[in-house]
Amino acid sequence: AGAAGQFDRASALADQAWDLVANRVDGAKVARVQARLAAEQGRSAEAATQLLRAAACARHTDPELAGELLFNSAQNAWAGRDFDALREIAARADGLPGADDTRAVATAALGLDGADVPGGMAALRRLLGSRYVGGPGNAVTAWWHLVLGDDRAAYEWAADLERQSRAQGALGVLPRVLAYLARGRLHLGQHRDARATAEEGLRIASDIGQTFSVGFLSSVLAELAAIEGDEARCEELVATLAGGPPRSVRAACALALLDLGLGRHEAVLDRLADVAAGAHRLYAVSSLPDLVEAAARLGRHAHAADAGDWFDEWASSTGRPWAEAVAARCRALLTDDERWFSRAVDLHRVADGRPFERARTELLYGEWLRRARRKTDARAHLRSALDLFERLGATPWAARARTELRATGESRALPGPDPLSTLTPQELQVVRLAAEGLSNREIGAQLFLSPRTVGYHLYKVYPKLGVASRVELGKLDLA
């Protein structure tokens, strides 16, 4: 029932099971189910406590189960930011199977939220080989890849889980999988697909009351709206992120990105100053360069020094070229030294993903070159930035690049309308599946829609795209 998204029914069944169990091991298994339901509804600290108690019940009769329960308890304690519980869990893991993995969760959490970023990253990397990675809760592995800066691995892991979840009809699992998949697609520059994925996930998560996924998916959509300069949509989505961290942190980050794109640099500092200095920097790691850029534009370099150092340490620990490129860009902004801009551009050219960050680097370097009266050199970087921003639909950023390019003596016309931009995210999903030859019933099974709803979407979409059949759809570029 939980896997199918029927959380109320699952809770009722678990309560009945609790009254029927005859031994401590079965009681521990029931507690595991209850903890999972609590975690999906955003009560991670409560889930950690339940799992800790369940592990104590199974410790002497089923050590394997106890080890697994403690590992999952540690994961939930990290998600719930209960670091005292994490230390207790790590201590209790001694002598149980998987103890090293459980202690690694604690090391990763305490390092990344504390002062040992390299140690935390190393521990998290070790967790990728954990005996529990292949378990039913392994969607979190996609999150680990994101924290490690490996967007491609996160995307591939989540995409594989998405296929499994759809094939099994696991409606209760799908929103969390789609949340990580949407984030991976956003980082890889697949903005249209990221929106479609996040919209579908948000619809399902809202219907079944999956609180965690509602917040995560809303933050992805808010960031997309911020990149596009859609202020009303961004603020609407951020309003759903009320509450404590990480929701409040993600809300501040989305609004800060919106402000940065619209040139409101003071607002960026106001939104991110506490986030960057506090204990929640891990949730805001991708926004630390935003703080650096805003501070540099205002001439307040000291306001961003700590954020720049923390990001640099994190980027070095990832070993990912895109992260090291952004760290070099931050250093260029804080030192006004061209060699860091040059290094950043070189690293972006070998990086997999983050085209939005590459475009930002090219724009900033182009601006720097134009101010240095090297207009010819500036044009190449500004053209590259403009092309990327236009492809990503980053309207305010494209406008900035176009203005800078014009200042070098070269003008660029506004791009023509894109027919795919007229489709809703769900229409785009339906169209792509139809173009692959799937029937309305098959599409409905994939997207958890009725065949009639699928047919209605196609009825509306055909005129928008200027086609009349599935065969014609198959000839279009729907990427």
Side-chain angles (χ1 to χ4, degrees):
Q6 300 172 14
F7 293 143
D8 290 341
R9 182 176 179 224
S11 296
L13 288 167
D15 290 343
Q16 291 177 44
W18 187 259
D19 294 333
L20 295 170
V21 294
N23 60 66
R24 294 167 70 88
V25 171
D26 285 343
K29 292 177 180 177
V30 174
R32 177 173 58 184
V33 174
Q34 292 173 321
R36 183 193 158 211
L37 295 171
E40 294 296 351
Q41 294 170 312
R43 305 193 309 274
S44 297
E46 177 186 326
T49 300
Q50 288 176 314
L51 288 164
L52 185 60
R53 291 172 182 163
C57 290
R59 185 178 190 98
H60 299 296
T61 50
D62 192 340
E64 286 285 346
L65 175 61
E68 177 192 337
L69 293 169
L70 271 182
F71 178 82
N72 290 326
S73 178
Q75 282 186 307
N76 280 283
W78 186 5
R81 304 190 58 73
D82 190 342
F83 298 120
D84 289 337
L86 255 178
R87 294 183 181 93
E88 180 184 354
I89 293 164
R92 290 199 190 185
D94 289 343
L96 287 175
D100 288 344
D101 292 340
T102 301
R103 284 192 289 266
V105 174
T107 301
L110 296 169
L112 287 167
D113 280 278
D116 185 12
V117 174
M121 292 288 278
L124 188 56
R125 195 169 281 109
R126 288 198 302 274
L127 281 170
L128 297 177
S130 167
R131 64 168 65 195
Y132 304 118
V133 162
N138 64 353
V140 75
T141 308
W143 167 245
W144 293 346
H145 282 300
L146 289 171
V147 173
L148 291 168
D150 193 344
D151 302 323
R152 178 65 59 182
Y155 166 79
E156 291 174 353
W157 189 276
D160 186 54
L161 285 178
E162 180 206 20
R163 287 189 290 270
Q164 294 177 33
S165 300
R166 290 192 190 281
Q168 297 164 5
L171 201 63
V173 178
L174 192 58
R176 184 176 289 240
V177 172
L178 292 176
Y180 297 137
L181 182 60
R183 175 63 64 179
R185 283 177 164 158
L186 169 59
H187 290 333
L188 292 172
Q190 302 168 10
H191 288 196
R192 190 176 282 130
D193 288 339
R195 178 179 292 100
T197 300
E199 291 279 11
E200 181 191 9
L202 185 59
R203 172 176 59 84
I204 297 171
S206 299
D207 287 346
I208 65 178
Q210 201 175 57
T211 306
F212 168 86
S213 296
V214 167
F216 197 106
L217 289 156
S218 295
S219 73
V220 173
L221 290 168
E223 187 170 333
L224 282 165
I227 290 170
E228 294 165 359
D230 189 340
E231 191 162 7
R233 178 61 172 154
C234 184
E235 291 177 348
E236 175 191 346
L237 287 159
V238 162
T240 69
L241 295 173
R247 294 167 75 100
S248 60
V249 174
R250 290 176 180 141
C253 291
L255 290 172
L257 182 59
L258 174 72
D259 289 329
L260 187 62
L262 297 176
R264 301 191 294 235
H265 303 121
E266 288 277 5
V268 177
L269 294 189
D270 290 342
R271 295 190 194 281
L272 294 181
D274 290 342
V275 172
H280 309 299
R281 285 177 296 192
L282 180 61
Y283 298 119
V285 65
S286 293
S287 295
L288 297 181
D290 300 346
L291 176 62
V292 171
E293 182 175 339
R297 287 187 176 278
L298 293 169
R300 301 181 193 172
H301 296 65
H303 286 67
D306 287 345
D309 289 344
W310 198 93
F311 186 86
D312 189 70
E313 191 171 26
W314 175 82
S316 297
S317 299
T318 68
R320 312 306 302 179
W322 78 262
E324 294 178 10
V326 176
R329 181 182 81 206
C330 290
R331 195 168 296 180
L333 289 169
L334 294 175
T335 64
D336 201 35
D337 187 336
E338 183 182 1
R339 66 191 173 102
W340 293 113
F341 273 129
S342 181
R343 173 167 170 72
V345 169
D346 288 343
L347 284 166
H348 275 304
R349 286 172 180 161
V350 300
D352 180 20
R354 303 277 177 143
F356 180 60
E357 294 299 337
R358 174 176 178 173
R360 288 176 58 179
T361 298
E362 299 266 21
L363 173 60
L364 286 165
Y365 191 18
E367 289 174 341
W368 190 92
L369 289 166
R370 185 189 64 78
R371 290 196 302 270
R373 302 183 184 280
R374 293 162 55 185
K375 293 183 179 181
T376 301
D377 293 336
R379 286 184 193 119
H381 297 289
L382 294 172
R383 288 188 205 109
S384 175
L386 181 54
D387 288 342
L388 285 168
F389 285 140
E390 287 182 342
R391 179 172 70 79
L392 297 172
T395 303
W397 299 85
R400 226 172 86 189
R402 192 175 290 106
T403 299
E404 285 291 327
L405 192 58
R406 190 180 305 118
T408 69
E410 180 178 317
S411 61
R412 176 80 70 87
L414 289 169
D418 176 7
L420 291 182
S421 67
T422 65
L423 306 186
T424 67
Q426 195 167 91
E427 286 173 347
L428 181 61
Q429 285 182 300
V430 169
V431 161
R432 284 179 170 162
L433 292 173
E436 292 174 9
L438 274 67
S439 68
N440 288 6
R441 184 173 299 279
E442 290 169 331
I443 295 170
Q446 284 272 327
L447 302 180
F448 301 101
L449 301 171
S450 71
R452 176 176 291 184
T453 299
V454 173
Y456 177 67
H457 280 314
L458 290 173
Y459 172 77
K460 291 200 304 178
V461 161
Y462 282 173
K464 294 181 182 180
L465 298 180
V467 299
S469 69
R470 276 176 163 79
V471 174
E472 292 180 51
L473 274 181
K475 297 177 181 177
L476 297 179
D477 180 7
L478 299 174

